[in-house]
Structures are given as C-alpha cells and as structure tokens.
Amino acid sequence: MEMYLIRKDVIKRVVVFQGVLRADSPVLVSTGERGPIKEVIRDADGNPYIPGSSWKGVFRSAGERIARERGLTVCSGLTNDSCLRKYQKERDFMNALRQGQQQLPTAMEIAWNYTCLNCKVFGTMSILGQVRFMDSVSADYRVNNRTMIAISRKDGSVAGKALVTLEYLDVGSHFPFTLYTYNLPNYALGYLIRIMEDIHKHLVQVGGNKSRGFGFLSFEKLSMNIMVPENSTVEHLPKLDDDDVDVKINAKELRDLPGDRFFELTSPLKEAFKNARISYPR
Ligand SMILES: [Zn+2]
C-alpha cells in the first residue's frame, strides 16, 4: 500500500480549496470568555475572524457523522477515544518512533492500520494531519449586539448576573475560506467536499449559540485548485493508492463557482468517497 495519505516526506498532490462564505444567520465565534460580555474574536487590526482551528473542529465533527453514515469507523479525536489508544497501539507506535529512522516503517504501518480516516486527514496525537485551515479574516462585516437573560444550565433558574451581552457578526457578513490539503486520495477530497456541502446546505453550524439559530453560512464562491502535480489542466485524477478510485473531472471548470454549481460539478469526487474500499482501521 502506498501510504501517501500519512506521508509528509513525499508530495504527490496538493489541492487547495478557496472561496467566500456568506453569513446567512448571525455568527458568533467568541473568545470563549465567560463573563457578562461575549465578544467576537478579532485579529491585531481589529478584524473579526473565524480561526483555522475552529474550522478544523467543525470539519472533524461534521465529518464524523458523514463518515459513519457511509459505514466507516471513525473516532471522535478526543484523547481517550482516539484510534491509537482505542486499538491499544499507542505504546508500540511511540516505541517505534523513539527508535528513530530504522523503525520508521514500523511506525508508519501502525499509523496506517490503526487510525481512521479522521485521524489521517485531521491528525491525532503524534500524527500531524494532511490539511491546513487558514484563519477566515473578514474584511466585509457588520457587528451587532444582543442582550439576553442568562439561564443557569443546571437548574433552569436565572443566573446571578442575569444579563449577558452577545456581540456577533450579522447576516451578510463575508469570510474568505482557504483549505490546503496534502496527498489526499480522491475519496478523501470527496469527503471534504461532502462536509463543505453540508455547511453550504445549512446542515452544519459554525461557532456558538447554535440553539438560537446562529452559525449558518453558505459558499458564495468556491474553487478547487490542483497545485501539485504542476500544470494540472487535469481531466482525470488517477487513484492515489490501492483503496482509491480513478476520477474524471474537469479541474479547469472548478474556479469561482457559486456553491450549488461547485457541488454539482464535483460529484465524481463525492462518488469516489462513496465507492472507495477504505481498508483501515483494521
Ligand atoms: Zn481515529
């Protein structure tokens, strides 16, 4: 098995997803401070943003549901549930790593056989993922406030400091979106596209205050750029490993498309996700 999906030393394929998201509802990505005022996160210039780490969390948890619906075994990524620990391979893996270069193939084999798609794509302890989400710093936004009564989660009574002011980004705010992916087989690209489609279709919310209907976004524009192999005026994405399937797709068309159109034209990749064999975890 070519284990490109977990290799960092060889670059077989680099695919970048780039787009613009529009807030279709208020969006609250706060600093997480518990106090009477919740503020949106801002960068050094004062522009609000959705951190790359938030995207990663959103993708991983949305992916969990999608992968399970597809019949795959995936972990939540929480320390005690993560694959290497669950399959009791953590010690073998760490020992192989510690012994350096000549035990590297053993470590790779353990990592391949005993981690799920989410561990491979998004990373797990001691294994880096194959994706990188950039911060979505907004340059086109409107900030608003809402004062609400805080109800204690425990007993439903009104909390001591009853009034809470929420700062949020209003409907119509825009966010850039950039996701770098390395050595993803066609089925894993299809997997990420399925997750983006669920965000676009409002099946997944981003940020806080979800129960009040916050966090719905859609892709106004989306592109898929194949950076490696170079000169990919590709009409055919060959399978990347034995589990993968060949895909016919016109890469040139996938530029600056409205979300709906993008998800239509990328259905061959979504099909690959549906049809790939995916032989791990053992
Ligand atoms: Zn896992």
Side-chain angles (χ1 to χ4, degrees), residues 60 74-77 81-83 86 115-120 124:
R60 187 164 190 148
V74 289
C75 73
S76 67
D81 178 53
S82 67
C83 285
K86 213 169 53 183
T115 61
C116 68
L117 178 59
N118 269 1
C119 282
K120 288 181 175 68
T124 181

Side-chain angles (χ1 to χ4, degrees), residues 137-282:
V137 181
S138 181
D140 172 19
Y141 59 87
R142 201 153 49 94
V143 176
N144 237 322
N145 292 292
R146 190 179 289 185
T147 301
M148 295 192 294
I149 293 175
I151 306 289
S152 160
R153 272 173 204 263
K154 260 199 206 132
D155 53 13
S157 67
V158 174
K161 282 179 184 162
L163 290 183
V164 176
T165 300
L166 281 188
E167 194 185 50
Y168 59 89
L169 297 165
D170 219 336
V171 177
S173 297
H174 287 89
F175 302 89
F177 177 83
T178 306
L179 165 58
Y180 287 91
T181 73
Y182 306 93
N183 292 350
L184 293 196
N186 293 329
Y187 68 82
L189 291 172
Y191 176 51
L192 292 180
I193 290 168
R194 281 281 288 103
I195 297 170
M196 289 187 262
E197 186 174 21
D198 274 12
I199 293 170
H200 182 70
K201 287 184 170 165
H202 293 181
L203 297 171
V204 173
Q205 287 160 277
V206 178
N209 225 19
K210 293 190 178 77
S211 61
R212 289 192 177 89
F214 279 37
F216 292 110
L217 298 140
S218 58
F219 285 97
E220 258 184 19
K221 265 189 206 170
L222 193 51
S223 303
M224 183 177 115
N225 298 312
I226 301 165
M227 319 288 280
V228 177
E230 231 175 302
N231 280 324
S232 321
T233 46
V234 178
E235 301 205 351
H236 169 232
L237 279 172
K239 60 185 200 164
L240 205 68
D241 60 36
D242 293 342
D243 284 357
D244 204 13
V245 291
D246 290 313
V247 160
K248 269 194 186 138
I249 197 156
N250 190 344
K252 265 192 298 190
E253 284 183 342
L254 304 176
R255 300 283 153 83
D256 285 333
L257 297 172
D260 289 338
R261 186 74 182 133
F262 181 89
F263 296 117
E264 229 173 84
L265 289 180
T266 49
S267 43
L269 284 165
K270 292 185 280 178
E271 285 296 308
F273 171 63
K274 220 162 51 181
N275 300 327
R277 207 161 53 92
I278 311 187
S279 54
Y280 54 78
R282 283 283 143 84

Side-chain angles (χ1 to χ4, degrees), residues 18-162:
Q18 211 153 18
V20 177
L21 285 152
R22 175 189 185 271
D24 299 324
S25 71
V27 173
L28 170 68
V29 179
S30 73
T31 49
E33 275 162 42
R34 295 180 136 261
I37 301 170
K38 267 200 171 178
E39 294 180 322
V40 299
I41 308 186
R42 294 167 189 272
D43 71 358
D45 300 320
N47 293 316
Y49 69 100
I50 301 171
S53 56
S54 297
W55 283 123
K56 195 166 156 181
V58 168
F59 270 63
R60 187 164 190 148
S61 67
E64 231 182 289
R65 181 179 47 74
I66 291 168
R68 291 204 176 118
E69 279 170 13
R70 148 78 171 74
L72 299 176
T73 301
V74 289
C75 73
S76 67
L78 300 172
T79 313
N80 283 315
D81 178 53
S82 67
C83 285
L84 284 178
R85 184 163 294 184
K86 213 169 53 183
Y87 300 118
Q88 299 182 336
K89 293 292 171 187
E90 198 181 1
R91 188 182 301 177
D92 293 352
F93 176 71
M94 292 310 285
N95 280 341
L97 270 193
R98 250 177 246 126
Q99 284 167 36
Q101 205 61 32
Q102 82 254 54
Q103 282 302 307
L104 200 58
T106 311
M108 294 287 285
E109 206 145 300
I110 294 171
W112 184 266
N113 287 327
Y114 299 101
T115 61
C116 68
L117 178 59
N118 269 1
C119 282
K120 288 181 175 68
V121 171
F122 301 110
T124 181
M125 36 182 184
S126 318
I127 302 175
L128 286 173
Q130 302 285 51
V131 293
R132 195 153 58 93
F133 293 90
M134 308 308 283
D135 291 340
S136 294
V137 181
S138 181
D140 172 19
Y141 59 87
R142 201 153 49 94
V143 176
N144 237 322
N145 292 292
R146 190 179 289 185
T147 301
M148 295 192 294
I149 293 175
I151 306 289
S152 160
R153 272 173 204 263
K154 260 199 206 132
D155 53 13
S157 67
V158 174
K161 282 179 184 162

